[in-house]
């Protein structure tokens, strides 16, 4: 059993910055990756960023590449998403994701709203 708790969402003006955090607890042995997805109203959940738990390999959606940076702290079982130059199109519920062999866990989501 794994639990993910996100924080850092909120309301920000276009061009502003936010940093999201996610901490994992429970049976976290064997973590392969942690990452972020987002879902806007009426839209499908989409991939945002992912980082390998071993090493520093990262992957980003084209829509956020160059503006968002994912990082992790293995000792704390935490992952972060630094978001800059935010656009109204970034408005969505952001979900933390943890990948284990044969299983994925999800956080409850945190709302990010970017005003124009």
């Amino acid at each position: 059993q794994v639990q993910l708790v996100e924080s850092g969402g909120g309301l920000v003006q276009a061009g502003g910055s936010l940093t999201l955090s996610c901490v994992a607890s429970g049976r976290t042995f064997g973590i392969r990756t942690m990452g972020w997805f987002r879902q806007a109203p009426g839209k499908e959940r989409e991939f945002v960023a992912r980082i390998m738990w071993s090493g520093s390999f990262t992957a980003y959606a084209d829509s956020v590449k160059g503006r968002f940076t994912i990082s992790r702290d293995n000792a704390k079982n935490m992952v972060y998403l630094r978001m800059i130059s935010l656009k109204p199109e970034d408005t969505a519920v952001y979900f933390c994701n943890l990948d284990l062999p044969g299983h994925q866990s999800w956080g409850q989501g945190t709302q990010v709203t970017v005003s124009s």
Side-chain angles (χ1 to χ4, degrees):
Q1 182 177 337
V2 176
Q3 295 180 7
L4 303 175
V5 180
E6 299 126 318
S7 61
L11 175 64
V12 65
Q13 288 186 314
S17 302
L18 283 174
T19 298
L20 306 182
S21 300
C22 175
V23 59
S25 62
R27 299 179 181 178
T28 58
F29 294 107
I31 296 174
R32 295 175 56 84
T33 68
M34 291 189 71
W36 295 90
F37 287 68
R38 67 186 183 185
Q39 187 168 21
K43 303 294 184 181
E44 295 183 347
R45 186 173 298 185
E46 65 176 347
F47 167 77
V48 176
R50 177 173 286 120
I51 186 168
M52 299 295 295
W53 210 241
S54 297
S56 59
F57 175 82
T58 58
Y60 298 91
D62 289 342
S63 59
V64 307
K65 195 172 299 181
R67 299 187 298 118
F68 291 10
T69 302
I70 189 170
S71 60
R72 54 100 177 113
D73 187 332
N74 297 69
K76 297 180 179 180
N77 282 348
M78 294 191 70
V79 65
Y80 309 90
L81 186 68
R82 175 64 173 171
M83 307 181 293
I84 66 171
S85 301
L86 283 162
K87 307 174 181 179
E89 294 77 19
D90 296 316
T91 295
V93 177
Y94 284 69
F95 296 90
C96 181
N97 170 257
L98 183 152
D99 182 53
L100 294 166
H103 181 71
Q104 288 190 339
S105 295
W106 298 88
Q108 81 287 347
T110 184
Q111 177 71 48
V112 173
T113 302
V114 184
S115 62
S116 60

